[in-house]
Amino acid sequence: MGENNTPPVSPRDQGPNESDEEGIGTQNEDDDFEVIEVYEENEDEEDVADGEGREEGEGEMDEADVPDDAVITFKQHSGSVFCCSIEPKESKLVVSGGEDDKAFVWDITDGQVVFECGNHQDSVTSALFSHDGCYLATADMSGFIQVWKMATKSVVWTFETGDLNWLDWHPASHILFAGTVAGETWFWKIPSGDCKTLPGHGERNECGKILPDGRRIAVGYVDGSVKVFDLKTLAVLQHLSGGQMHTNAVSSIDCHRDNNLMVSGSLDSTAKLYNTQTGKLLCTLSCLGVGSSEEESSVEAVSFCPETSVSLVVTGTLSGKISFWDIPTQIERQSYDQAAGVVKLVWHPKHSHLLFSAGLDGVVRLIDSRSGTLVREYTGHTANILDIAISFDGYHLVTSSDDQTCRVFEVNVDH
């Protein structure tokens, strides 16, 4: 589909647009819609937790029986807290969104609310800051999206899609992406709202990841296929289907910093490595645990090691198995079994061999990828962890949970 400025569903009352917004980098907000390319020095945005593939009924624990390592516990939500994100530049603010149809921006040092993001009428499942912290996007399950300007704490843009599966910012531009149940991928220039659409093929859009070059995006679908789109021409560069595709839904995607490798994880208990330039399937990694079914071994998270000199990709499954794979040999180099489903995997920003794993047992584990050993645990939650974020300096870890709280942990490592 080409350029499209007409939404399929009428948006709610539009917030004020800003015509005098300053340009970011080489982009001027008044210029034509343009995607900024990203080079190796730009940091990748964290993936957005989408809440899919998680089991209910893991069982809440008695709070008195759980040691609490958190330095701050945020308790303003009245339902499960589905998402959290840390402002990327100074790491002083956190945003969290939950089942109570609310999103809050709060201070990471004392838990005090800075402002509430109102107007949502369904569970807030995505809330994340732009690459420079100038904007905040919040989205609910029904597809209502708001963008807030942090300097004024006011809404500058709104839009309503169909039911929403994921939301993410471009890593170097004020361009917001969203994937829908109907299969399309939308993206908008903020705050003008100029819109383009990447067409689906009648299958649910499950996850998306902008490649590090900033020019392409990989999208995973419920039928097990993956597409790579050119963000300028909107052309489908690769459609990984047929014998190359998964046999169940794609749950997660990551892209290597060299822009040549992509990994997809699936509910079929496998991860697949592709060449993003040729579309060639390089290998299929079986993540099926011993004595586990395909459903129990569904791959919930995949991630390349951020250290470019290390050829390593990690997978995490619903059964709790975390595997560190050597890319050239496709051999499992190390593994760690946390005995609870993996929700999300995040690398330490300053120590690239250290990996945080958020678990369905309410525990965050810090694992050394070189040895597959546990460095330490962070406890305090009494139910499933649903999202995790790490500050840019690696000093603070924020989690959100089914126990209706967010927690802030201090991270001190000497590795």
Short mmCIF file of all heavy atoms in Angstrom, two decimals, residues 307-367:
data_model
loop_
_atom_site.label_atom_id
_atom_site.label_comp_id
_atom_site.label_asym_id
_atom_site.label_seq_id
_atom_site.Cartn_x
_atom_site.Cartn_y
_atom_site.Cartn_z
N GLU A 307 27.64 -6.97 21.76
CA GLU A 307 29.05 -6.86 21.44
C GLU A 307 29.29 -7.42 20.05
O GLU A 307 29.13 -8.62 19.82
CB GLU A 307 29.88 -7.62 22.48
CG GLU A 307 31.38 -7.65 22.20
CD GLU A 307 31.97 -6.26 22.11
OE1 GLU A 307 31.81 -5.49 23.07
OE2 GLU A 307 32.57 -5.95 21.05
N THR A 308 29.64 -6.55 19.10
CA THR A 308 29.73 -6.97 17.70
C THR A 308 30.82 -8.00 17.46
O THR A 308 30.76 -8.76 16.49
CB THR A 308 29.98 -5.75 16.80
OG1 THR A 308 31.12 -5.03 17.27
CG2 THR A 308 28.77 -4.83 16.80
N SER A 309 31.82 -8.06 18.31
CA SER A 309 32.90 -9.04 18.12
C SER A 309 32.53 -10.43 18.62
O SER A 309 33.28 -11.38 18.42
CB SER A 309 34.16 -8.56 18.84
OG SER A 309 33.94 -8.48 20.24
N VAL A 310 31.37 -10.54 19.26
CA VAL A 310 30.92 -11.82 19.81
C VAL A 310 29.77 -12.34 18.95
O VAL A 310 28.73 -11.69 18.83
CB VAL A 310 30.47 -11.68 21.27
CG1 VAL A 310 29.96 -13.02 21.80
CG2 VAL A 310 31.61 -11.16 22.13
N SER A 311 29.93 -13.50 18.35
CA SER A 311 28.90 -14.09 17.49
C SER A 311 27.99 -14.97 18.34
O SER A 311 28.12 -16.20 18.37
CB SER A 311 29.53 -14.89 16.36
OG SER A 311 30.28 -14.06 15.51
N LEU A 312 27.06 -14.33 19.03
CA LEU A 312 26.23 -15.02 20.00
C LEU A 312 24.79 -14.54 19.89
O LEU A 312 24.53 -13.34 19.77
CB LEU A 312 26.76 -14.76 21.41
CG LEU A 312 26.22 -15.64 22.55
CD1 LEU A 312 26.77 -17.06 22.43
CD2 LEU A 312 26.62 -15.03 23.90
N VAL A 313 23.85 -15.50 19.94
CA VAL A 313 22.43 -15.16 20.01
C VAL A 313 21.82 -15.96 21.15
O VAL A 313 22.21 -17.11 21.39
CB VAL A 313 21.70 -15.44 18.67
CG1 VAL A 313 21.69 -16.92 18.33
CG2 VAL A 313 20.29 -14.89 18.68
N VAL A 314 20.89 -15.36 21.86
CA VAL A 314 20.28 -16.02 23.01
C VAL A 314 18.79 -16.23 22.74
O VAL A 314 18.13 -15.41 22.11
CB VAL A 314 20.50 -15.21 24.31
CG1 VAL A 314 19.86 -13.83 24.21
CG2 VAL A 314 19.95 -15.95 25.53
N THR A 315 18.27 -17.37 23.24
CA THR A 315 16.84 -17.67 23.17
C THR A 315 16.33 -17.98 24.56
O THR A 315 17.06 -18.55 25.39
CB THR A 315 16.56 -18.87 22.25
OG1 THR A 315 17.29 -20.01 22.73
CG2 THR A 315 16.97 -18.57 20.81
N GLY A 316 15.07 -17.62 24.83
CA GLY A 316 14.45 -17.94 26.11
C GLY A 316 13.07 -18.52 25.88
O GLY A 316 12.30 -18.00 25.05
N THR A 317 12.72 -19.60 26.59
CA THR A 317 11.48 -20.31 26.33
C THR A 317 10.50 -20.23 27.49
O THR A 317 10.85 -19.82 28.61
CB THR A 317 11.75 -21.80 26.03
OG1 THR A 317 12.16 -22.45 27.26
CG2 THR A 317 12.82 -21.97 24.98
N LEU A 318 9.28 -20.66 27.21
CA LEU A 318 8.22 -20.66 28.21
C LEU A 318 8.52 -21.65 29.34
O LEU A 318 8.03 -21.50 30.45
CB LEU A 318 6.88 -21.00 27.56
CG LEU A 318 5.62 -20.83 28.40
CD1 LEU A 318 5.46 -19.39 28.86
CD2 LEU A 318 4.39 -21.28 27.62
N SER A 319 9.33 -22.65 29.07
CA SER A 319 9.71 -23.61 30.11
C SER A 319 10.83 -23.08 31.00
O SER A 319 11.16 -23.69 32.01
CB SER A 319 10.13 -24.94 29.49
OG SER A 319 11.31 -24.79 28.72
N GLY A 320 11.44 -21.97 30.59
CA GLY A 320 12.49 -21.35 31.40
C GLY A 320 13.91 -21.64 30.94
O GLY A 320 14.87 -21.25 31.60
N LYS A 321 14.06 -22.30 29.80
CA LYS A 321 15.40 -22.60 29.31
C LYS A 321 15.96 -21.41 28.54
O LYS A 321 15.33 -20.91 27.60
CB LYS A 321 15.38 -23.83 28.41
CG LYS A 321 16.79 -24.25 27.97
CD LYS A 321 16.77 -25.45 27.03
CE LYS A 321 18.18 -25.85 26.62
NZ LYS A 321 18.20 -26.94 25.64
N ILE A 322 17.14 -20.97 28.93
CA ILE A 322 17.85 -19.89 28.25
C ILE A 322 19.08 -20.50 27.59
O ILE A 322 19.92 -21.11 28.27
CB ILE A 322 18.24 -18.79 29.25
CG1 ILE A 322 16.99 -18.19 29.89
CG2 ILE A 322 19.07 -17.70 28.55
CD1 ILE A 322 17.27 -17.29 31.06
N SER A 323 19.19 -20.35 26.28
CA SER A 323 20.29 -20.95 25.53
C SER A 323 21.11 -19.87 24.85
O SER A 323 20.56 -18.95 24.23
CB SER A 323 19.75 -21.92 24.47
OG SER A 323 19.03 -22.98 25.08
N PHE A 324 22.44 -20.01 24.93
CA PHE A 324 23.37 -19.11 24.27
C PHE A 324 24.00 -19.87 23.10
O PHE A 324 24.71 -20.85 23.31
CB PHE A 324 24.45 -18.63 25.24
CG PHE A 324 23.88 -17.87 26.42
CD1 PHE A 324 23.61 -18.53 27.62
CD2 PHE A 324 23.61 -16.51 26.33
CE1 PHE A 324 23.09 -17.84 28.70
CE2 PHE A 324 23.09 -15.82 27.41
CZ PHE A 324 22.83 -16.48 28.60
N TRP A 325 23.70 -19.42 21.88
CA TRP A 325 24.09 -20.15 20.68
C TRP A 325 25.27 -19.46 19.98
O TRP A 325 25.26 -18.24 19.78
CB TRP A 325 22.92 -20.21 19.70
CG TRP A 325 21.68 -20.83 20.25
CD1 TRP A 325 20.67 -20.21 20.93
CD2 TRP A 325 21.29 -22.21 20.15
NE1 TRP A 325 19.68 -21.10 21.27
CE2 TRP A 325 20.04 -22.35 20.79
CE3 TRP A 325 21.88 -23.34 19.56
CZ2 TRP A 325 19.37 -23.56 20.88
CZ3 TRP A 325 21.22 -24.55 19.65
CH2 TRP A 325 19.98 -24.66 20.30
N ASP A 326 26.26 -20.26 19.60
CA ASP A 326 27.35 -19.77 18.78
C ASP A 326 26.85 -19.69 17.34
O ASP A 326 26.43 -20.70 16.76
CB ASP A 326 28.54 -20.72 18.88
CG ASP A 326 29.73 -20.24 18.08
OD1 ASP A 326 30.37 -19.27 18.49
OD2 ASP A 326 29.99 -20.85 17.01
N ILE A 327 26.88 -18.51 16.75
CA ILE A 327 26.27 -18.33 15.42
C ILE A 327 27.02 -19.07 14.31
O ILE A 327 26.39 -19.76 13.50
CB ILE A 327 26.14 -16.82 15.11
CG1 ILE A 327 25.15 -16.18 16.09
CG2 ILE A 327 25.67 -16.61 13.67
CD1 ILE A 327 25.07 -14.66 15.99
N PRO A 328 28.34 -19.00 14.23
CA PRO A 328 29.02 -19.68 13.12
C PRO A 328 28.82 -21.19 13.12
O PRO A 328 28.65 -21.80 12.05
CB PRO A 328 30.50 -19.32 13.34
CG PRO A 328 30.46 -18.05 14.11
CD PRO A 328 29.28 -18.17 15.01
N THR A 329 28.79 -21.82 14.32
CA THR A 329 28.68 -23.27 14.38
C THR A 329 27.25 -23.74 14.65
O THR A 329 26.96 -24.93 14.50
CB THR A 329 29.59 -23.83 15.48
OG1 THR A 329 29.15 -23.33 16.76
CG2 THR A 329 31.03 -23.43 15.24
N GLN A 330 26.38 -22.79 15.06
CA GLN A 330 24.98 -23.10 15.41
C GLN A 330 24.89 -24.12 16.54
O GLN A 330 23.95 -24.91 16.62
CB GLN A 330 24.22 -23.60 14.18
CG GLN A 330 24.14 -22.56 13.07
CD GLN A 330 24.43 -23.13 11.71
OE1 GLN A 330 24.02 -24.23 11.40
NE2 GLN A 330 25.15 -22.37 10.88
N ILE A 331 25.86 -24.09 17.43
CA ILE A 331 25.92 -24.99 18.59
C ILE A 331 25.55 -24.22 19.85
O ILE A 331 25.94 -23.07 20.02
CB ILE A 331 27.33 -25.60 18.73
CG1 ILE A 331 27.62 -26.54 17.55
CG2 ILE A 331 27.50 -26.35 20.05
CD1 ILE A 331 29.05 -27.07 17.54
N GLU A 332 24.80 -24.87 20.73
CA GLU A 332 24.46 -24.27 22.01
C GLU A 332 25.73 -24.21 22.87
O GLU A 332 26.23 -25.23 23.32
CB GLU A 332 23.37 -25.10 22.71
CG GLU A 332 22.88 -24.48 24.00
CD GLU A 332 21.84 -25.37 24.69
OE1 GLU A 332 22.18 -26.54 25.01
OE2 GLU A 332 20.71 -24.91 24.88
N ARG A 333 26.23 -23.00 23.07
CA ARG A 333 27.50 -22.84 23.79
C ARG A 333 27.30 -23.00 25.29
O ARG A 333 28.09 -23.66 25.98
CB ARG A 333 28.10 -21.47 23.47
CG ARG A 333 29.45 -21.22 24.10
CD ARG A 333 29.91 -19.80 23.84
NE ARG A 333 30.14 -19.53 22.43
CZ ARG A 333 30.46 -18.31 21.96
NH1 ARG A 333 30.55 -17.28 22.79
NH2 ARG A 333 30.66 -18.14 20.67
N GLN A 334 26.26 -22.35 25.83
CA GLN A 334 25.93 -22.43 27.25
C GLN A 334 24.41 -22.42 27.38
O GLN A 334 23.69 -21.98 26.47
CB GLN A 334 26.51 -21.23 28.03
CG GLN A 334 28.00 -21.02 27.92
CD GLN A 334 28.81 -22.06 28.65
OE1 GLN A 334 28.28 -22.85 29.43
NE2 GLN A 334 30.11 -22.07 28.39
N SER A 335 23.93 -22.88 28.53
CA SER A 335 22.50 -22.79 28.80
C SER A 335 22.28 -22.60 30.29
O SER A 335 23.15 -22.93 31.12
CB SER A 335 21.76 -24.04 28.31
OG SER A 335 22.12 -25.17 29.06
N TYR A 336 21.09 -22.07 30.61
CA TYR A 336 20.71 -21.89 32.01
C TYR A 336 19.21 -22.17 32.11
O TYR A 336 18.43 -21.67 31.29
CB TYR A 336 21.01 -20.46 32.48
CG TYR A 336 20.59 -20.21 33.91
CD1 TYR A 336 21.43 -20.56 34.95
CD2 TYR A 336 19.35 -19.66 34.21
CE1 TYR A 336 21.05 -20.37 36.27
CE2 TYR A 336 18.96 -19.46 35.52
CZ TYR A 336 19.81 -19.82 36.54
OH TYR A 336 19.42 -19.62 37.85
N ASP A 337 18.82 -22.97 33.08
CA ASP A 337 17.41 -23.30 33.27
C ASP A 337 16.91 -22.58 34.51
O ASP A 337 17.30 -22.91 35.63
CB ASP A 337 17.24 -24.81 33.44
CG ASP A 337 15.77 -25.22 33.46
OD1 ASP A 337 14.91 -24.33 33.43
OD2 ASP A 337 15.49 -26.43 33.53
N GLN A 338 16.04 -21.58 34.29
CA GLN A 338 15.55 -20.82 35.42
C GLN A 338 14.24 -21.40 35.99
O GLN A 338 13.68 -20.86 36.94
CB GLN A 338 15.36 -19.35 35.07
CG GLN A 338 14.27 -19.06 34.07
CD GLN A 338 14.13 -17.55 33.81
OE1 GLN A 338 15.10 -16.80 33.92
NE2 GLN A 338 12.93 -17.12 33.49
N ALA A 339 13.75 -22.49 35.40
CA ALA A 339 12.59 -23.23 35.93
C ALA A 339 11.33 -22.40 36.02
O ALA A 339 10.39 -22.74 36.73
CB ALA A 339 12.93 -23.83 37.30
N ALA A 340 11.28 -21.31 35.29
CA ALA A 340 10.08 -20.47 35.19
C ALA A 340 10.11 -19.79 33.84
O ALA A 340 11.19 -19.45 33.33
CB ALA A 340 10.02 -19.44 36.31
N GLY A 341 8.95 -19.60 33.23
CA GLY A 341 8.90 -19.05 31.89
C GLY A 341 9.63 -17.74 31.72
O GLY A 341 9.59 -16.87 32.60
N VAL A 342 10.32 -17.60 30.59
CA VAL A 342 11.02 -16.36 30.26
C VAL A 342 10.02 -15.38 29.64
O VAL A 342 9.29 -15.72 28.72
CB VAL A 342 12.17 -16.63 29.27
CG1 VAL A 342 12.81 -15.31 28.81
CG2 VAL A 342 13.21 -17.53 29.91
N VAL A 343 10.00 -14.16 30.15
CA VAL A 343 9.13 -13.11 29.63
C VAL A 343 9.89 -12.20 28.66
O VAL A 343 9.43 -11.90 27.57
CB VAL A 343 8.54 -12.27 30.77
CG1 VAL A 343 7.71 -11.10 30.23
CG2 VAL A 343 7.68 -13.14 31.69
N LYS A 344 11.08 -11.80 29.09
CA LYS A 344 11.87 -10.86 28.29
C LYS A 344 13.33 -10.99 28.67
O LYS A 344 13.66 -11.27 29.83
CB LYS A 344 11.37 -9.43 28.52
CG LYS A 344 11.94 -8.40 27.56
CD LYS A 344 11.27 -7.04 27.78
CE LYS A 344 11.80 -6.00 26.81
NZ LYS A 344 11.15 -4.68 27.00
N LEU A 345 14.22 -10.77 27.69
CA LEU A 345 15.66 -10.81 27.89
C LEU A 345 16.24 -9.44 27.53
O LEU A 345 15.94 -8.90 26.47
CB LEU A 345 16.30 -11.89 27.02
CG LEU A 345 15.82 -13.33 27.25
CD1 LEU A 345 16.39 -14.25 26.17
CD2 LEU A 345 16.22 -13.83 28.64
N VAL A 346 17.10 -8.91 28.40
CA VAL A 346 17.70 -7.60 28.19
C VAL A 346 19.18 -7.67 28.56
O VAL A 346 19.53 -8.10 29.66
CB VAL A 346 17.01 -6.50 29.04
CG1 VAL A 346 17.69 -5.16 28.81
CG2 VAL A 346 15.53 -6.41 28.72
N TRP A 347 20.05 -7.24 27.64
CA TRP A 347 21.48 -7.21 27.91
C TRP A 347 21.84 -5.99 28.76
O TRP A 347 21.25 -4.93 28.62
CB TRP A 347 22.27 -7.17 26.61
CG TRP A 347 22.13 -8.39 25.76
CD1 TRP A 347 21.26 -8.58 24.72
CD2 TRP A 347 22.88 -9.61 25.87
NE1 TRP A 347 21.42 -9.83 24.18
CE2 TRP A 347 22.41 -10.49 24.87
CE3 TRP A 347 23.89 -10.05 26.73
CZ2 TRP A 347 22.92 -11.77 24.69
CZ3 TRP A 347 24.41 -11.33 26.56
CH2 TRP A 347 23.93 -12.17 25.55
N HIS A 348 22.85 -6.17 29.60
CA HIS A 348 23.37 -5.04 30.39
C HIS A 348 24.05 -4.06 29.42
O HIS A 348 24.85 -4.46 28.59
CB HIS A 348 24.38 -5.55 31.42
CG HIS A 348 24.72 -4.55 32.48
ND1 HIS A 348 25.43 -3.40 32.22
CD2 HIS A 348 24.45 -4.53 33.81
CE1 HIS A 348 25.59 -2.71 33.34
NE2 HIS A 348 25.01 -3.38 34.32
N PRO A 349 23.74 -2.76 29.51
CA PRO A 349 24.28 -1.80 28.53
C PRO A 349 25.78 -1.53 28.67
O PRO A 349 26.41 -1.04 27.73
CB PRO A 349 23.47 -0.53 28.79
CG PRO A 349 23.03 -0.64 30.21
CD PRO A 349 22.80 -2.11 30.44
N LYS A 350 26.35 -1.84 29.82
CA LYS A 350 27.77 -1.57 30.04
C LYS A 350 28.62 -2.84 30.10
O LYS A 350 29.83 -2.78 29.91
CB LYS A 350 27.96 -0.77 31.33
CG LYS A 350 27.24 0.56 31.36
CD LYS A 350 27.76 1.50 30.27
CE LYS A 350 27.07 2.86 30.34
NZ LYS A 350 27.53 3.78 29.29
N HIS A 351 28.00 -3.95 30.38
CA HIS A 351 28.71 -5.24 30.46
C HIS A 351 27.98 -6.20 29.52
O HIS A 351 27.04 -6.88 29.91
CB HIS A 351 28.71 -5.78 31.89
CG HIS A 351 29.32 -4.83 32.88
ND1 HIS A 351 30.69 -4.72 33.05
CD2 HIS A 351 28.76 -3.96 33.75
CE1 HIS A 351 30.94 -3.80 33.98
NE2 HIS A 351 29.79 -3.34 34.43
N SER A 352 28.44 -6.25 28.27
CA SER A 352 27.67 -6.90 27.22
C SER A 352 27.61 -8.41 27.33
O SER A 352 26.89 -9.06 26.57
CB SER A 352 28.23 -6.51 25.84
OG SER A 352 29.59 -6.89 25.74
N HIS A 353 28.32 -9.00 28.27
CA HIS A 353 28.23 -10.45 28.48
C HIS A 353 27.17 -10.81 29.53
O HIS A 353 26.89 -11.98 29.76
CB HIS A 353 29.58 -11.02 28.91
CG HIS A 353 30.08 -10.45 30.20
ND1 HIS A 353 30.64 -9.20 30.28
CD2 HIS A 353 30.10 -10.96 31.47
CE1 HIS A 353 30.99 -8.95 31.54
NE2 HIS A 353 30.67 -10.00 32.27
N LEU A 354 26.59 -9.80 30.17
CA LEU A 354 25.61 -10.03 31.22
C LEU A 354 24.19 -9.84 30.69
O LEU A 354 23.91 -8.86 30.01
CB LEU A 354 25.86 -9.10 32.40
CG LEU A 354 27.18 -9.29 33.16
CD1 LEU A 354 27.30 -8.26 34.27
CD2 LEU A 354 27.27 -10.71 33.73
N LEU A 355 23.33 -10.77 31.04
CA LEU A 355 21.96 -10.79 30.52
C LEU A 355 20.96 -10.84 31.67
O LEU A 355 21.09 -11.67 32.57
CB LEU A 355 21.77 -12.02 29.63
CG LEU A 355 20.39 -12.21 28.99
CD1 LEU A 355 20.23 -11.28 27.79
CD2 LEU A 355 20.19 -13.67 28.56
N PHE A 356 19.96 -9.95 31.61
CA PHE A 356 18.84 -10.00 32.56
C PHE A 356 17.71 -10.82 31.95
O PHE A 356 17.34 -10.62 30.79
CB PHE A 356 18.32 -8.60 32.87
CG PHE A 356 19.29 -7.71 33.59
CD1 PHE A 356 20.08 -6.81 32.89
CD2 PHE A 356 19.43 -7.78 34.97
CE1 PHE A 356 20.98 -5.99 33.55
CE2 PHE A 356 20.33 -6.96 35.64
CZ PHE A 356 21.11 -6.06 34.93
N SER A 357 17.14 -11.71 32.75
CA SER A 357 15.98 -12.49 32.32
C SER A 357 14.84 -12.27 33.30
O SER A 357 14.98 -12.50 34.51
CB SER A 357 16.32 -13.98 32.27
OG SER A 357 15.15 -14.75 32.02
N ALA A 358 13.70 -11.80 32.79
CA ALA A 358 12.50 -11.60 33.61
C ALA A 358 11.67 -12.88 33.56
O ALA A 358 11.42 -13.42 32.47
CB ALA A 358 11.69 -10.42 33.09
N GLY A 359 11.23 -13.38 34.73
CA GLY A 359 10.55 -14.66 34.79
C GLY A 359 9.11 -14.59 35.25
O GLY A 359 8.70 -13.65 35.93
N LEU A 360 8.37 -15.61 34.88
CA LEU A 360 6.98 -15.72 35.30
C LEU A 360 6.84 -16.06 36.78
O LEU A 360 5.74 -16.07 37.32
CB LEU A 360 6.26 -16.79 34.47
CG LEU A 360 5.95 -16.40 33.01
CD1 LEU A 360 5.34 -17.58 32.26
CD2 LEU A 360 5.00 -15.20 32.96
N ASP A 361 7.96 -16.34 37.46
CA ASP A 361 7.94 -16.58 38.90
C ASP A 361 8.19 -15.31 39.70
O ASP A 361 8.34 -15.35 40.92
CB ASP A 361 8.96 -17.64 39.29
CG ASP A 361 10.39 -17.28 38.90
OD1 ASP A 361 10.58 -16.25 38.21
OD2 ASP A 361 11.32 -18.02 39.28
N GLY A 362 8.24 -14.15 39.01
CA GLY A 362 8.42 -12.88 39.70
C GLY A 362 9.86 -12.53 40.01
O GLY A 362 10.12 -11.56 40.73
N VAL A 363 10.79 -13.28 39.45
CA VAL A 363 12.21 -13.07 39.74
C VAL A 363 12.94 -12.60 38.48
O VAL A 363 12.68 -13.10 37.39
CB VAL A 363 12.87 -14.37 40.27
CG1 VAL A 363 14.36 -14.16 40.54
CG2 VAL A 363 12.16 -14.86 41.52
N VAL A 364 13.85 -11.64 38.64
CA VAL A 364 14.78 -11.25 37.58
C VAL A 364 16.12 -11.90 37.89
O VAL A 364 16.62 -11.82 39.01
CB VAL A 364 14.95 -9.73 37.48
CG1 VAL A 364 16.00 -9.39 36.41
CG2 VAL A 364 13.63 -9.05 37.16
N ARG A 365 16.68 -12.55 36.89
CA ARG A 365 17.98 -13.20 37.06
C ARG A 365 19.02 -12.53 36.17
O ARG A 365 18.74 -12.23 35.01
CB ARG A 365 17.87 -14.69 36.74
CG ARG A 365 16.99 -15.45 37.73
CD ARG A 365 16.65 -16.83 37.24
NE ARG A 365 15.88 -17.59 38.23
CZ ARG A 365 14.56 -17.52 38.37
NH1 ARG A 365 13.85 -16.71 37.59
NH2 ARG A 365 13.95 -18.23 39.30
N LEU A 366 20.20 -12.33 36.72
CA LEU A 366 21.34 -11.80 35.96
C LEU A 366 22.27 -12.98 35.68
O LEU A 366 22.75 -13.65 36.60
CB LEU A 366 22.06 -10.72 36.75
CG LEU A 366 23.24 -10.04 36.06
CD1 LEU A 366 22.80 -9.34 34.77
CD2 LEU A 366 23.91 -9.03 37.00
N ILE A 367 22.49 -13.24 34.39
CA ILE A 367 23.21 -14.44 33.96
C ILE A 367 24.45 -14.05 33.16
O ILE A 367 24.40 -13.14 32.33
CB ILE A 367 22.29 -15.33 33.08
CG1 ILE A 367 21.03 -15.70 33.88
CG2 ILE A 367 23.01 -16.58 32.61
CD1 ILE A 367 19.90 -16.21 33.01
#
